Amino acid sequence: MSRAVLYRVAGLVAVVILLALPLASAELDGLGPLVFNSYFMHLAITAFFYAILASSWSLLAGYAGQFSFGHMAFMAIGGYTTGLIGKFIRFTTAPTELCADIPLPGNWWLVILNARRVGTIDETCIDMAKTQTLPSGALIIFPPVWASIAMGLVMGATFGLLVGWLVLRLRSAYLALFTIGFSEILRAALSAEIPITEGQSGLELLPLFPSGINLFGQTFSDTSKIPPYYAMLLLFLLVMLLMTWLASSRFGLFIRAIREDEEAAAALGVNIVRYKVLVFVITSALAAAAGALQAHYIGIITPNILIILQMSLVIAMAVIGGLENIYAASVGALVITFALELLRTNIAIGPIRIDMSLWRLVFFGLLLMLTLRFQRNGLLFPLLERLNRAGIAEETVAMRDASN
Amino acid sequence: MACGSLPFARNRMEHAAIFGWALLWFAFWGVVGGVITPQIYARKDLEISQASFGGAVIGAALGPFSLLPLWIATPKIDNRMIGVAGALVVGIFITAFALADPDNLCVANGEFVISQLANGIVIGIIYGLMALGLTLIFSILGVVSFAHGEFYMIGGMVTYFMTAEWLPGAPPIVGILASCVVTFSIGYIFERIFLRPLGSGQIERPGEYAILVTFGLAFFLQYFTQALASANPVKAQRFFPFPRTEIPLDSGSLLRTTPGNITILDTISIPNPRFTAALLALIMLAALLWFLYHTWTGKALRAVSQDRQAAAVAGINPNSMNTLAFSLGAMLAGLSGASLVQVFSWLPQVGIPAAARSFVIIVLGGMGSLPGAFLGGLVVGIVEAAGTGCVPDATRAAAYIPAYGMVILTLVLLLKPTGLFGREL
C-alpha cells in the first residue's frame, strides 16, 4: 500500500470517527459503555474551533512565513460582526418610522436599530415602534444566523485586506509588530464603545439554531450540543479541504517559495505582494468564520477573547503540533485543548497548593520555546517522519536482492 | 485605523465640522501629493526615493498651493523641506482644533497645555529608555524581541517585591539594582540557550524563529510571574519624597516642591514619581551613552551593529556581543519598569501595552537607530499626553491611550516605513 493511500485511509477513518462521535453522547444515551457527557461535547466543539484557528495560522505562518499575531483579532471581527448584525438589524413587513428604515423589494424593510445609552432605562426604537407605529400583525424577524456568519467572514476578509495591504509590503517583523498593536487597539475599542458593543459585560448572540433543528429524524433543541458539534466539525472539514487544495496547488508552491526566498521568488515571476496579501486575506476570513460560529455557539462574546493569552495558545498549538503542516497543527490544537482542560485540577502537595490554572500555561509556554528550539517541526514530526520512511529499508534490500 | 479615529468622531466639540474638514483636507491632498508626485518626478527622471513621502506631507500642508509649485519646479525634496511642511501640517492641525473647540482646556488654558507637555516629555523619556533597549537588540541581533514588555514588567515586579515584601524598608536603589540583575540574567540565559544558534546556521529561517521564540518567552514569563506573584495589582511607594521647599522663599516662586509634587514657575506641575522616574531614566541614558562611546566593549557593540564580518576580523567576538546586547536591552526594559512601578499600578499584564508602545517608537525612530528611539519616545509621550488631555470625552480618551500610538504607527508605515532615522529596508 503506497503512503499516499495510507494517509487518505487514515484521514477517512479519522473523519468517520469524528462524524460518529455524537452517537456516543449522553444526549443519545451513549454507545454501550462509552458515554460522552455534554461537557465533553463542549470541549470537542472548542477543540475544532481552535483547530481551525491553529491550522489556518499555520498556513499563514508555516507555509507563507508571515507571522501575524492578529489572528484572534480577525476571529473577534468575525464574532462581533455577526453579533452586531444580530443586535442592530431587523427585517420588518412595515416601516417603523422610528428607526432607520431601508425599503427592500417585496414589501420588506431593513431596519437599523439605534445604539442604546448606558445606565438609563432606554428602549430601542424597535421596542417603541412595536407599541406605537407598527401595525399589529407586522412581522419582525432577526437576520438569519448563517447570513450574519457569512457577513462576519466577509468583514474578516476586508480587514485582512486592509491590514495586509498596509503591512505586507514590508519586512515580516513589521507584520508581527503591527498586528500585535492592532489586536490591542481592537480590544480597547471593543471595551470602550459600550453603547455599541456592551463592553466587558459582553454582547449576547442568538443561538446557532434559534428554533432547534431536525437532524436524521430527531429533533434537537437550541441548547443541544449535537447540532453545533456538526456545524463546527463541518466548518473544520471544509477549512481543511480548502487549505489542502490551496497548499497543493500552484498557490501553495508560490507561498512556500516566498517563505524560502522572497527575492528569488520575485525574480522567477511570483507577484510576492499579491500572494502574501491573498494568503493573509484567506486565513483572516477563515479565522473570522470560526469566530462567528463559535460566538453563536457560546451565545456571548466579550473583548477578552482578544487577550494575548488566546493568541499565544493558538501559536503554542500550531508550533507544538507542527507549524509547517496544517494537519499536524490541527492535531496539536485538538490534543492541547483537551490537555489544558485535564491539567486544570489544582494539586496540593502537603501544605503547598499549586494553582494549576496558571502553571499549566507556564508549562505550555516552556514547551513552546523548547519545541521551537529542539524540534522545530513540532512534536508530531518524528512520528510523521517514521511513517514516511517506513518500508524504505525493505525496498532498498529488495532492490539490492533484485540486482544480485 | 478606523478605530483610532473614533474618539474624534463622537465628542462634544462645538464646531466639529471645522476639525472634520481640516482632517479631510489633510487626507485628500496628502493622498494626491503622495500618489502623483513620484510619477511626476519619475517622468522627469529625478530621484523618487523621497518623492512619495515628501509629496504627501507637502500636499497635506497647503494643498494645491504647495503642490502645483512643487510639480512645476520639481526641486530636490530634502529633509528641511519636509520638516517645514510637517511643521505647517502640525500648525494647521492645532489651529483647526482650537477653532473647532475653543472651550477645550487644551485651547483655553495655556498653563494646562504647558503642564501636559511637560508631563508628556517626562513620560516620553522613560518610554525612550525602554525603546532604546529594543532598538539596541535589533541593531545587533537583527531580532525584534517580543518579550521586551515582559522584561519591563519583571523589572517593576522585582523592584516592588524587593522594597515592599522581601526587604521591607530597603532603599529603592536596592530594588532597582536587583531588577537590573534579574532582567540581565534572564536575558543572558535566554540568549545563550535560545538565540545563540541563530548565528551558527543551525536554524532555518532565523528571522521567523526569533519572532516565535521571543513570543514564547513572553508567554512563559508573563504566566510564570503571575503564578508566583498573583494577578493582584501592586504599586511601590514613591522612591524619593521631595523635601518641602520653595525657591526663592517668597511667594510667586520659581520652584516649589511638596513630597508628592514639583511645580516649576507656578505653572508646570509634575507628580513626584514621574519626575524621579524621568531623572533616573536620564541618568541611565547618560551611563548608556558613556558606555557605548567611551569603553572598548561599547565601541565593539557599535562596530558589530555596523558590520558583523568586519568587526569579527578586527577581533571582536560577535556572539558574545549578541549576548551582551540582548541582556543589556532586557536590562534597559527592566530599568524603565523599575522606575515606573512607583507611577502606575503593576500587573503581570502591564508588559503588553508597553511593548506595543516600544514597537511604535522604534518603527517611528527607525529600526536600529538609537537617537531615533529616544526621539520617538518623546514624540509618543507628547502625543499620548495631548490625546488624554485634549480629547473631549475624558473616559474615552483614557481608554484609547494605546490607540494614539497606533495612529502614529499606521501613518509611519504608510508614509515613511524607514522611520525618522532608519536605514533603507
Side-chain angles (χ1 to χ4, degrees):
Chain A
M1 196 156 61
S2 83
R3 238 158 281 127
V5 176
L6 185 79
Y7 281 140
R8 266 175 218 172
V9 170
L12 207 63
V13 169
V15 170
V16 168
I17 291 177
L18 290 178
L19 282 172
L21 203 121
L23 292 178
S25 76
E27 272 182 68
L28 299 179
D29 298 330
L31 270 186
L34 201 62
V35 178
F36 296 129
N37 55 14
S38 75
Y39 173 60
F40 179 89
M41 296 302 286
H42 168 74
L43 274 187
I45 298 168
T46 314
F48 293 141
F49 166 67
Y50 278 114
I52 297 170
L53 291 173
S55 56
S56 59
W57 193 75
S58 95
L59 182 74
L60 180 63
Y63 286 64
Q66 305 304 316
F67 285 81
S68 155
F69 292 135
H71 213 53
M72 294 311 264
F74 293 107
M75 188 277 284
I77 286 173
Y80 267 100
T81 303
T82 174
L84 291 175
I85 288 176
K87 184 180 173 190
F88 285 111
I89 291 184
R90 298 285 182 279
F91 293 100
T92 59
T93 46
T96 59
E97 286 158 24
L98 291 172
C99 311
D101 297 326
I102 300 167
L104 297 176
N107 210 24
W108 281 90
W109 274 266
L110 190 157
V111 176
I112 300 169
L113 274 57
N114 59 330
R116 271 184 290 183
R117 273 175 300 166
V118 190
T120 52
I121 303 163
D122 183 16
E123 282 181 305
T124 57
C125 60
I126 196 101
D127 291 328
M128 285 153 69
K130 261 186 225 166
T131 53
Q132 293 170 19
T133 52
L134 277 179
S136 60
L139 290 173
I140 302 172
I141 61 166
F142 281 85
V145 169
W146 60 266
S148 62
I149 290 178
M151 279 309 291
L153 187 147
V154 171
M155 280 301 273
T158 314
F159 272 87
L161 187 66
L162 283 176
V163 173
W165 171 81
L166 177 62
V167 186
L168 285 169
R169 294 166 296 157
L170 306 167
R171 263 191 308 198
S172 65
Y174 280 90
L175 179 66
L177 294 176
F178 188 83
T179 46
I180 223 171
F182 175 69
S183 71
E184 276 296 296
I185 292 294
L186 194 64
R187 191 166 68 89
L190 292 175
S191 321
E193 299 296 329
I194 297 169
I196 299 171
T197 64
E198 306 285 344
Q200 286 291 343
S201 51
L203 181 63
E204 286 180 28
L205 289 93
L206 288 176
L208 211 43
F209 302 100
S211 49
I213 189 174
N214 205 324
L215 275 181
F216 318 119
Q218 190 154 4
T219 317
F220 293 96
S221 72
D222 60 341
T223 52
S224 166
K225 300 280 182 204
I226 292 175
Y229 177 92
Y230 279 115
M232 196 58 95
L233 178 60
L234 195 68
L235 183 65
F236 172 56
L237 294 178
L238 280 178
V239 165
M240 292 311 284
L241 266 180
L242 174 71
M243 291 200 301
T244 307
W245 174 69
L246 281 176
S248 56
S249 65
R250 277 162 67 86
F251 178 82
L253 284 179
F254 285 167
I255 60 177
R256 268 170 283 185
I258 291 169
R259 174 191 72 186
E260 291 299 331
D261 192 336
E262 259 180 41
E263 280 81 15
L268 288 173
V270 178
N271 185 338
I272 55 168
V273 174
R274 179 192 296 168
Y275 279 95
K276 272 156 73 173
V277 172
L278 199 58
V279 71
F280 193 72
V281 170
I282 291 171
T283 52
S284 305
L286 296 181
L293 194 59
Q294 175 81 353
H296 275 292
Y297 160 61
I298 299 284
I300 189 162
I301 184 167
T302 68
N304 284 347
I305 52 165
L306 271 172
I307 55 175
I308 292 284
L309 166 66
Q310 293 287 332
M311 190 65 229
S312 313
L313 281 180
V314 169
I315 292 175
M317 287 164 179
V319 169
I320 292 171
L323 186 56
E324 291 170 24
N325 185 326
I326 48 175
Y327 307 106
S330 62
V331 171
L334 296 175
V335 171
I336 289 176
T337 311
F338 280 94
L340 275 171
E341 284 300 315
L342 288 177
L343 289 176
R344 204 190 263 280
T345 350
N346 290 350
I347 306 173
I349 307 170
I352 307 163
R353 278 184 55 79
I354 298 178
D355 181 8
M356 280 306 286
S357 62
L358 287 172
W359 283 105
R360 64 191 173 135
L361 299 175
V362 178
F363 168 73
F364 275 106
L366 197 62
L367 188 62
L368 167 63
M369 281 157 67
L370 292 174
T371 308
L372 275 170
R373 172 71 182 83
F374 298 107
Q375 191 61 257
R376 178 77 188 278
N377 290 319
L379 298 184
L380 284 177
F381 182 72
L383 195 75
L384 290 173
E385 186 82 326
R386 174 162 290 213
L387 274 178
N388 269 332
R389 301 180 69 85
I392 284 182
E394 287 81 1
E395 274 174 36
T396 320
V397 171
M399 276 163 64
R400 203 190 299 140
D401 288 348
S403 63
N404 281 342
Chain B
M1 286 324 309
C3 324
S5 64
L6 271 174
F8 298 111
R10 28 172 60 252
N11 49 41
R12 290 176 271 108
M13 262 187 200
E14 256 178 68
H15 312 287
I18 300 180
F19 194 59
W21 282 111
L23 287 187
L24 212 63
W25 168 272
F26 287 148
F28 179 73
W29 290 110
V31 169
V32 168
V35 171
I36 296 180
T37 314
Q39 292 180 2
I40 290 176
Y41 273 64
R43 190 164 299 157
K44 291 197 180 176
D45 232 5
L46 294 163
E47 195 200 329
I48 58 163
S49 60
Q50 291 273 56
S52 176
F53 175 53
V57 177
I58 292 167
L62 291 178
F65 308 108
S66 53
L67 277 180
L68 282 179
L70 180 79
W71 291 344
I72 292 164
T74 55
K76 187 178 176 333
I77 298 178
D78 54 9
N79 284 334
R80 179 190 291 183
M81 202 187 284
I82 295 174
V84 170
L88 255 173
V89 172
V90 174
I92 296 173
F93 182 86
I94 292 172
T95 317
F97 187 81
L99 288 176
D101 200 4
D103 297 333
N104 194 304
L105 268 181
C106 286
V107 180
N109 188 338
E111 292 184 358
F112 178 79
V113 174
I114 294 172
S115 228
Q116 204 67 6
L117 204 65
N119 272 303
I121 291 173
V122 160
I123 207 87
I125 291 172
I126 308 161
Y127 292 168
L129 183 72
M130 179 171 174
L132 216 55
L134 193 59
T135 214
L136 183 71
I137 294 173
F138 181 81
S139 70
I140 292 175
L141 284 88
V143 161
V144 178
S145 165
F146 286 87
H148 209 60
E150 270 52 43
F151 287 113
Y152 164 85
M153 179 269 293
I154 287 177
M157 280 288 175
V158 169
T159 308
Y160 168 78
F161 275 93
M162 208 66 187
T163 53
E165 308 257 324
W166 299 330
L167 297 172
I173 192 77
V174 175
I176 297 174
L177 285 178
S179 75
C180 286
V181 173
V182 170
T183 45
F184 190 92
S185 319
I186 299 175
Y188 183 86
I189 296 167
F190 176 77
E191 207 282 338
R192 287 303 293 265
I193 300 178
F194 289 100
L195 293 182
R196 176 56 63 86
L198 280 180
S200 63
Q202 284 173 31
I203 286 192
E204 280 179 77
R205 299 190 294 279
E208 301 177 3
Y209 167 77
I211 290 177
L212 278 185
V213 82
T214 52
F215 191 79
L217 177 69
F219 180 35
F220 169 71
L221 286 180
Q222 187 181 329
Y223 284 95
F224 189 66
T225 317
Q226 191 167 336
L228 289 182
S230 92
N232 298 328
V234 297
K235 191 172 180 184
Q237 293 288 314
R238 60 174 86 100
F239 289 163
F240 306 108
F242 293 135
R244 203 175 278 276
T245 53
E246 245 176 279
I247 304 168
L249 280 170
D250 49 30
S251 56
S253 56
L254 288 172
L255 184 81
R256 188 186 319 131
T257 58
T258 59
N261 213 334
I262 180 166
T263 313
I264 302 165
L265 289 175
D266 263 343
T267 47
I268 307 171
S269 162
I270 303 168
N272 164 316
R274 289 185 183 223
F275 190 80
T276 359
L279 215 60
L280 277 172
L282 281 179
I283 295 169
M284 304 305 166
L285 196 70
L288 180 74
L289 286 182
W290 180 82
F291 169 75
L292 283 178
Y293 286 84
H294 293 279
T295 60
W296 186 88
T297 328
K299 287 176 186 165
L301 269 179
R302 290 192 297 132
V304 172
S305 89
Q306 280 165 11
D307 190 331
R308 257 188 119 69
Q309 262 82 38
V313 167
I316 299 166
N317 180 354
N319 280 339
S320 55
M321 287 302 134
N322 274 0
T323 314
L324 181 66
F326 194 87
S327 336
L328 212 57
M331 193 185 85
L332 286 174
L335 267 173
S336 42
S339 49
L340 281 184
V341 70
Q342 42 154 6
V343 181
F344 304 120
S345 52
W346 220 248
L347 284 166
Q349 284 82 23
V350 288
I352 297 158
R357 189 185 292 123
S358 296
F359 300 152
V360 173
I361 293 171
I362 65 163
V363 174
L364 172 63
M367 301 258 263
S369 151
L370 295 180
F374 193 68
L375 201 67
L378 288 183
V379 171
V380 171
I382 291 172
V383 168
E384 281 190 3
T388 30
C390 300
V391 172
D393 187 340
T395 48
R396 237 195 214 101
Y400 279 106
I401 287 181
Y404 308 127
M406 280 302 283
V407 174
I408 301 179
L409 181 61
T410 311
L411 287 177
V412 172
L413 290 182
L414 270 176
L415 296 173
K416 198 170 184 332
T418 49
L420 295 173
F421 298 97
R423 308 167 187 175
E424 282 302 307
L425 288 178

